[in-house]
Amino acid sequence: MSASLESTPAANIRALFLGTSSMAWTDGRSTWLVDGFFSRQPLSEVIFTRLKVDETQVSSVASEMFKRLNMPSTLTGIVVAHSHYDHSMDAPWLAKQYGARVVGSESTWQIAKGQDLPATQMDVMPGNGRVKLGEFEVQLIESAHAPTGFTGGFNAKPVFLPAHALQFKEGISYSFVVSHPDLGPAPFALIQPSAGFVPGQNKGVNVKHVFLGTGGLGKSSDAYISDYWQEMVVNTGAKQVYLIHWDDFTQPLINQGQLASLKPMPKLLDDFPRSLELLKMFSERDGVTLHVLDAWKLVNF
Ligand SMILES: [Zn+2]
């Protein structure tokens, strides 16, 4: 089964990338999301104000997403990578609109409670677990956040909106391993939303595709970036790597009615050209194809 960008799918399984680690996955029968963070408020709002879901923007992005996937406007689930606002904030709102359940940590549950998501629509997961989303199965593995200055902590109380970005505490950072019976019994993809890892976390995981979070990686040492690549790509035997969470998430996905392209994170927070250069080197060395995913790109499996 070969994969390529924008080609005719062999099985009907595909993922639409939507910036940060947000993605919509479908098999043509049901659709689920990673994160679904579409508000992407401007930087000045993030720094100086308390945030709420930008309902107009989130619903425009969601409508365009369903249209591009050629799928009805319903979601089976939303798996939330960790509880920082750029992953978790819009998930409860989307879950209520499109009938999904939210899958995530206790910390994410507090964010959902703050938005009145019914308990029946929340699956609180320990560090490791499995969920069925339509015919997909997603295995959650407890991982680690990228070593930025914003890690750690749990939300112990509901996070009511509006809330400042710093009120969204990390909780558990997960990796997701995806399988689907149409692609055989073994998993085919690993999603690593944040550029962190727990040594040995992917033991026994063999996948062809890795969605590799790079946010903040450019500020890490060469040794760290190399270890991260080893853990996520070499140890899983992946041959196709798609870079995610490399973008400036204070820029919208739809701007004045037009679908926008992504820009790298500002130099203050990241150095994407530097991580890209290293990752390119590793991919050539290891015979891996590296893709930098722009928003609205469809990956077919
Ligand atoms: Zn984070």
Side-chain angles (χ1 to χ4, degrees), residues 3 8 26 62 64 79 94 121-122 131 139 141-142 161 206 210 216 218 221 228 230 246 274:
T8 311
T26 188
E64 185 64 29
V79 294
L94 286 162
Q121 276 178 263
M122 180 76 206
V131 283
Q139 180 193 355
I141 297 175
E142 185 162 355
L161 302 183
N206 282 289
V210 172
S221 68
Y228 180 56
Q230 178 71 33
W246 58 273
R274 176 174 167 255

Side-chain angles (χ1 to χ4, degrees), residues 1-3 10-11 182-184 208-209 301:
M1 211 73 66
S2 72
D182 288 1
L183 295 178
K208 186 167 173 191
H209 308 272
F301 300 101

Side-chain angles (χ1 to χ4, degrees), residues 3-300:
S4 60
L5 297 170
E6 313 286 5
S7 71
T8 311
N12 209 12
I13 296 170
R14 54 210 190 269
L16 182 70
F17 180 58
L18 295 161
T20 56
S21 53
S22 295
M23 280 179 272
W25 290 66
T26 188
D27 57 3
R29 299 187 281 276
S30 67
T31 309
W32 57 276
L33 297 182
V34 180
D35 297 345
F37 174 64
F38 303 150
S39 284
R40 298 171 68 100
Q41 291 87 349
L43 185 61
S44 58
E45 276 182 39
V46 177
I47 295 174
F48 299 114
T49 72
R50 295 188 299 154
L51 303 173
K52 56 182 184 345
V53 176
D54 183 340
E55 297 182 5
T56 310
Q57 179 69 6
V58 174
S59 62
S60 319
V61 170
S63 319
E64 185 64 29
M65 169 188 93
F66 289 120
K67 198 167 99 189
R68 291 175 85 85
L69 290 173
N70 193 25
M71 288 297 290
S73 304
T74 57
L75 292 171
T76 51
I78 306 174
V79 294
V80 176
H82 61 270
S83 308
H84 286 152
Y85 90 99
D86 57 316
H87 299 268
S88 66
M89 193 177 75
D90 297 338
W93 191 86
L94 286 162
K96 285 193 278 184
Q97 291 295 308
Y98 302 109
R101 60 194 220 268
V102 172
V103 180
S105 71
E106 186 74 39
S107 213
T108 293
W109 172 220
Q110 298 295 354
I111 292 161
K113 272 189 197 166
Q115 295 183 43
D116 288 324
L117 186 74
T120 49
Q121 276 178 263
M122 180 76 206
D123 283 352
V124 178
M125 301 298 285
N128 297 288
R130 281 170 198 275
V131 283
K132 283 276 284 182
L133 299 170
E135 291 171 62
F136 287 92
E137 186 175 86
V138 179
Q139 180 193 355
L140 289 82
I141 297 175
E142 185 162 355
S143 184
H145 197 276
T148 65
F150 302 101
T151 60
F154 277 84
N155 301 312
K157 287 186 298 195
V159 180
F160 295 103
L161 302 183
H164 192 272
L166 296 174
Q167 285 176 260
F168 295 75
K169 301 297 180 196
E170 178 196 343
I172 297 170
S173 284
Y174 298 99
S175 307
F176 304 117
V177 179
V178 186
S179 44
H180 191 289
D182 288 1
L183 295 178
F188 64 97
L190 166 69
I191 305 166
Q192 181 62 30
S194 194
F197 63 96
V198 173
Q201 67 163 74
N202 296 325
K203 202 168 187 305
V205 174
N206 282 289
V207 289
K208 186 167 173 191
H209 308 272
V210 172
F211 292 80
L212 193 69
T214 64
L217 203 57
K219 297 284 187 190
S220 302
S221 68
D222 286 14
Y224 180 88
I225 300 174
S226 168
D227 290 348
Y228 180 56
W229 176 269
Q230 178 71 33
E231 196 70 39
M232 295 299 153
V233 181
V234 179
N235 292 2
T236 60
K239 289 294 161 212
Q240 301 288 331
V241 171
Y242 311 87
L243 302 188
I244 59 171
H245 211 335
W246 58 273
D247 52 302
D248 179 353
F249 51 83
T250 62
Q251 307 286 328
L253 294 170
I254 298 179
N255 197 3
Q256 295 175 332
Q258 303 293 315
L259 303 192
S261 287
L262 301 176
K263 298 187 187 87
M265 259 188 225
K267 278 279 167 77
L268 186 68
L269 296 172
D270 198 3
D271 184 350
F272 183 60
R274 176 174 167 255
S275 26
L276 185 58
E277 197 184 311
L278 277 170
L279 296 173
K280 268 188 181 152
M281 203 173 80
F282 300 148
S283 66
E284 281 160 22
R285 180 195 67 195
D286 298 334
V288 170
T289 308
L290 193 69
H291 310 264
V292 180
L293 285 186
D294 201 349
W296 307 104
K297 281 285 177 200
L298 200 55
V299 178
N300 293 301

